[in-house]
Amino acid sequence: MTKLTFLGTGTSSGVPMIGCDCPVCTSTDKHDKRLRASALVETGGLTILIDAGPDFRQQMLREGVRHLDAILLTHNHMDHIGGLDETRAFNLFEAKPVNIYCEPYVLESLRQMFGYAFAEPRYPGAPEWHMHTIDGSSPFFVHSNAGEKKLVWESGVGYHYTRPTQKERLRPVEVVPIQGWHHKSMDQSVLGYRIGNIAYITDFNRIGEDEFEKLSGLDYVTVNCVKKSPHYSHFSLDEALAFIEKVGAAESYITHMSHLLPRHADFEAELPEHVHPAYDGLVLESD
């Protein structure tokens, strides 16, 4: 069983957008309240987060998340990595570093943005991360964090690493990266992820033909759409629907939505029967 929970389904500004009084931003429908895009995947006993944007803390508290085995990052934009400092809470209460999987260029961005988390000597209380670099062409495995070394806190000094407290007993979960691009004219790489028969795609503007082979036989696929008309770095609605049709999943969900799309109920009514606007808190389950 693979379970995906949409933690956030909004674009980089979120919905409602600061200072806006449009019908979507002023809607009282809870489905129109969209935090920045992120998803939680639970499968094989592992809990895997996809992206940790500025709303990470709020999302973790809302869903009652107390354990993470890993975080998969799609790319290096702030609305997808801006909440990573908040992983310090997992360091403290799980006494483990947080495993983060990303492309090499994303790691370099993290080194610049969160320099204090990589500096030596260690700053007391800085987030403790175990970094794993991946690419868009090869499947990889995510392991339970049970086998990670234990963190022991010393006030004013920081964490010390000791040997693992338990052996890993859960089987690793295979993740298939989906390579996409975030801009029509720039080679800004973005990774989507297939876990089981669910694929999570966000921030795509184009995708190579070869990648569709990785998306066959899906129960669910998500795809981004900021607005109906063409956008320089995201699928338009027509492009998103064409992508969905080509993938051919049983059901498809649109995420990373802005206030320029209709209100949830209106948008749902406009879409094909097997396509739906996602909303924060929506849960998908696949055998």
Side-chain angles (χ1 to χ4, degrees), residues 127-149:
E128 294 285 339
W129 299 329
H130 184 182
M131 303 301 305
H132 308 261
T133 54
I134 56 176
D135 61 55
S137 61
S138 304
F140 60 95
F141 287 91
V142 172
H143 292 257
S144 162
N145 75 346
E148 290 286 348
K149 293 181 179 180

Side-chain angles (χ1 to χ4, degrees), residues 39-43 46-50 68 70 72 142 173 175 195:
L40 191 72
V41 178
E42 298 165 88
T43 185
L46 273 64
T47 302
I48 302 169
L49 177 69
I50 304 179
L68 283 180
L72 313 181
V142 172
V173 169
V175 178
I195 303 176

Side-chain angles (χ1 to χ4, degrees), residues 6 220-223 244 251-255 275-278 282 284:
F6 288 93
Y220 301 105
V221 66
T222 81
V223 64
I244 285 168
E251 297 289 330
S252 303
Y253 287 85
I254 294 176
T255 189
V275 182
H276 317 276
L282 173 65
L284 308 178

Side-chain angles (χ1 to χ4, degrees), residues 84-146:
L84 283 173
D85 182 77
E86 301 286 358
T87 57
R88 292 178 295 120
F90 288 101
N91 297 151
L92 178 62
F93 291 111
E94 289 210 83
K96 298 289 179 68
V98 173
N99 286 283
I100 298 178
Y101 293 76
C102 64
E103 291 190 275
Y105 88 91
V106 178
L107 173 56
E108 289 309 306
S109 293
L110 297 184
R111 289 184 182 277
Q112 295 177 35
M113 185 175 298
F114 301 100
Y116 59 92
F118 297 91
E120 294 293 346
R122 304 290 296 160
Y123 180 83
E128 294 285 339
W129 299 329
H130 184 182
M131 303 301 305
H132 308 261
T133 54
I134 56 176
D135 61 55
S137 61
S138 304
F140 60 95
F141 287 91
V142 172
H143 292 257
S144 162
N145 75 346

